[in-house]
Amino acid sequence: SLLNIEEISNTLRSPRKDIENVLSTYIKESGVVQFLMKNIYRKNKQQLAYRFNLPVLREKYNEVITSFTTQKTFTKPTLFLKGSKSNYITTEDSVLINNYFTNASVQEISNAGHWLHAENSQEFYSKTMKFC
C-alpha cells in the first residue's frame, strides 16, 4: 500500500527519518527506499509531500500491474538486464519476455539489486555497450 506522507509528516517529530523508517518496514531494498526519499520535499514548514503523482498512481495501480496483453511480437534484438540480487525478472517473466520479444536476451548484472546501473555501473555499462 502507498503511504500517506502528509499524514505521517504531521504526526511525527522527525518526519524525514521517520518516513524512511516506515518505508524500510515495507521495502527491504535500501536503494528503493533512498529513491523514494529523494522524491520527498517540504511542501511548507510543517508538511512534506511526494514529488510523484500519488493520486494517479493509486487510481491507475491495477492498470500498471496488469499483464501485457498484446498478441504482437518484437523481433529485433532486445536486451533485458537484471540485478543478481533482484527478483524483478523471474523465470516466469523470462518466458513472457521471450513470447513478446522473440530475439531477447536476459542477462544478469552481478552484485546488484533493482538499481543495477548504480550498484554495478561498470558491468551495466559493459553489457549495454556490447549489446549496442
Side-chain angles (χ1 to χ4, degrees):
S1 77
L2 296 169
L3 302 172
N4 186 336
I5 199 166
E6 291 178 354
E7 287 178 17
I8 293 170
S9 67
N10 288 334
T11 60
L12 304 171
R13 292 182 305 157
S14 171
R16 288 192 70 80
K17 188 62 179 166
D18 290 334
I19 291 167
E20 184 175 353
N21 290 338
V22 170
L23 288 172
S24 294
T25 63
Y26 294 98
I27 303 166
K28 299 304 174 200
E29 294 181 40
S30 63
V32 175
V33 171
Q34 292 309 309
F35 171 75
L36 292 172
M37 292 302 296
K38 287 183 178 186
N39 284 282
I40 295 172
Y41 72 100
R42 190 159 294 284
K43 190 173 184 177
N44 57 47
K45 194 172 183 177
Q46 281 81 34
Q47 197 172 36
L48 298 173
Y50 291 119
R51 292 190 191 283
F52 48 83
N53 193 335
L54 186 57
V56 170
L57 290 173
R58 277 194 176 122
E59 180 183 334
K60 303 293 184 181
Y61 181 73
N62 286 332
E63 291 178 42
V64 171
I65 64 167
T66 301
S67 295
F68 204 54
T69 57
T70 185
Q71 296 303 315
K72 295 179 181 180
T73 58
F74 186 77
T75 59
K76 293 185 179 180
T78 309
L79 176 64
F80 287 81
L81 296 174
K82 72 177 272 349
S84 63
K85 297 178 184 177
S86 172
N87 61 357
Y88 277 56
I89 298 178
T90 64
T91 303
E92 294 83 20
D93 295 330
S94 293
V95 171
L96 286 173
I97 287 168
N98 289 316
N99 285 340
Y100 294 107
F101 300 89
T102 58
N103 197 5
S105 169
V106 179
Q107 296 181 27
E108 196 168 272
I109 303 294
S110 60
N111 299 314
H114 181 62
W115 308 105
L116 48 112
H117 60 287
E119 295 171 18
N120 189 341
S121 59
Q122 288 182 322
E123 189 174 340
F124 174 83
Y125 178 80
S126 175
K127 288 188 177 187
T128 301
M129 294 309 293
K130 184 176 180 183
F131 174 79
C132 290

